[in-house]
Amino acid sequence: MQPPSLYAFAGSLNSLFIVVSLFGLWSQLKKIWQRKRDASVGAGKSTDILSINQFTVSFLAYCAFFVYGYSITPFNHYIVWPRLVASLIALAILCEIYRDRRSATARHALLACALLLCAGLAGLAFGPTFTDEKRAVSQSLIVAVTVLLAQGYAHQIRLIWRSGKTGAVSLKMSQFILAMDVSTIFFACVMGLPTGWPLLLLACVSATTKLIIMWLFRWEKSSPAARMKRQALACG
């Protein structure tokens, strides 16, 4: 068991960087709104290159940790409230993707995530008791979400690689979330592996994907291959 002062410091630091990551998510939402106002961006293009898959699993990750935070003993305020806000912003991004594309896939993703958030809130409001079984279920959920997160970001990375452009993807979002992931890794280590391993697993996977996406922003600007992909896409 770690000293309370170290736990409080790590938890507060992680909460601070989670708040910072919220600005990253918010910057993604603002970029979509800015592109909607840009007359040069045609209809259906304000969410260009954004992966529904990626933002759906990002929502699932935030929502899973929201549930995990209130399913463990003691109730972890450092995890619960910032992840709830992040879930709401991710849901707003999915809403903008649906409004931009009007596709069945976007609609189904939005409705499914909205229902999951309602279920999570119901669990917070009407599930005051905490058991080892609930913790095991929430840990299993996070492992499943980690796998989904890996494939979701792989899909986003593949879209950027194939098109040679980052489109509506926000660099700030990746930078801020990477900072959060690093602080989450530290917090998980302080919590101890028996309790914190789900945090550690997901944060390591998330950090790896953010580093790749940040590299792709540089690749987009400097690589002749990226330029050729964009030209081919424009001609096609």
Side-chain angles (χ1 to χ4, degrees):
M1 185 69 180
Q2 296 296 333
S5 58
L6 180 58
Y7 177 85
F9 170 74
S12 299
L13 183 65
N14 185 235
S15 294
L16 174 63
F17 278 100
I18 291 172
V19 172
V20 169
S21 77
L22 295 180
F23 284 104
L25 277 174
W26 184 251
S27 73
Q28 177 65 80
L29 191 55
K30 285 176 63 179
K31 186 167 185 177
I32 294 172
W33 291 340
Q34 181 181 356
R35 288 172 64 89
K36 286 175 69 174
R37 293 191 298 266
D38 189 347
S40 66
V41 177
K45 293 294 185 180
S46 63
T47 61
D48 188 32
I49 302 300
L50 293 184
S51 168
I52 297 173
N53 189 334
Q54 183 236 298
F55 280 99
T56 300
V57 296
S58 292
F59 168 86
L60 291 175
Y62 289 125
C63 193
F65 273 112
F66 165 63
V67 174
Y68 173 72
Y70 69 70
S71 297
I72 60 176
T73 303
F75 185 103
N76 196 313
H77 295 277
Y78 298 118
I79 295 175
V80 171
W81 306 118
R83 259 71 177 202
L84 175 58
V85 176
S87 297
L88 291 170
I89 298 176
L91 192 64
I93 292 172
L94 286 170
C95 182
E96 288 296 337
I97 292 176
Y98 168 67
R99 291 175 64 185
D100 185 47
R101 302 179 188 178
R102 299 291 179 179
S103 67
T105 301
R107 181 176 64 252
H108 294 156
L110 176 61
L111 290 175
C113 290
L115 289 173
L116 284 173
L117 183 57
C118 289
L121 290 170
L124 175 63
F126 303 110
T129 58
F130 304 99
T131 65
D132 291 338
E133 289 77 12
K134 283 186 179 180
R135 183 170 67 177
V137 169
S138 65
Q139 288 177 343
S140 300
L141 176 63
I142 290 173
V143 172
V145 166
T146 300
V147 175
L148 292 173
L149 189 75
Q151 68 82 28
Y153 273 102
H155 183 250
Q156 180 68 82
I157 289 166
R158 188 162 59 248
L159 287 176
I160 297 172
W161 181 261
R162 287 178 175 177
S163 65
K165 61 180 180 178
T166 54
V169 178
S170 170
L171 175 60
K172 285 184 180 179
M173 184 182 72
S174 292
Q175 292 170 332
F176 288 153
I177 294 179
L178 176 62
M180 178 196 70
D181 290 334
V182 172
S183 71
T184 300
I185 290 169
F186 173 58
F187 185 34
C189 292
V190 171
M191 289 175 67
L193 288 180
T195 301
W197 68 264
L199 280 171
L200 184 63
L201 176 65
L202 193 145
C204 287
V205 171
S206 178
T208 301
T209 60
K210 301 306 179 299
L211 287 170
I212 295 172
I213 289 176
M214 289 165 61
W215 176 81
L216 284 171
F217 271 88
R218 185 173 182 178
W219 169 80
E220 174 192 25
K221 295 178 180 179
S222 60
S223 172
R227 185 166 56 252
M228 291 176 62
K229 288 173 185 285
R230 291 193 298 272
Q231 292 172 350
L233 190 64
C235 292

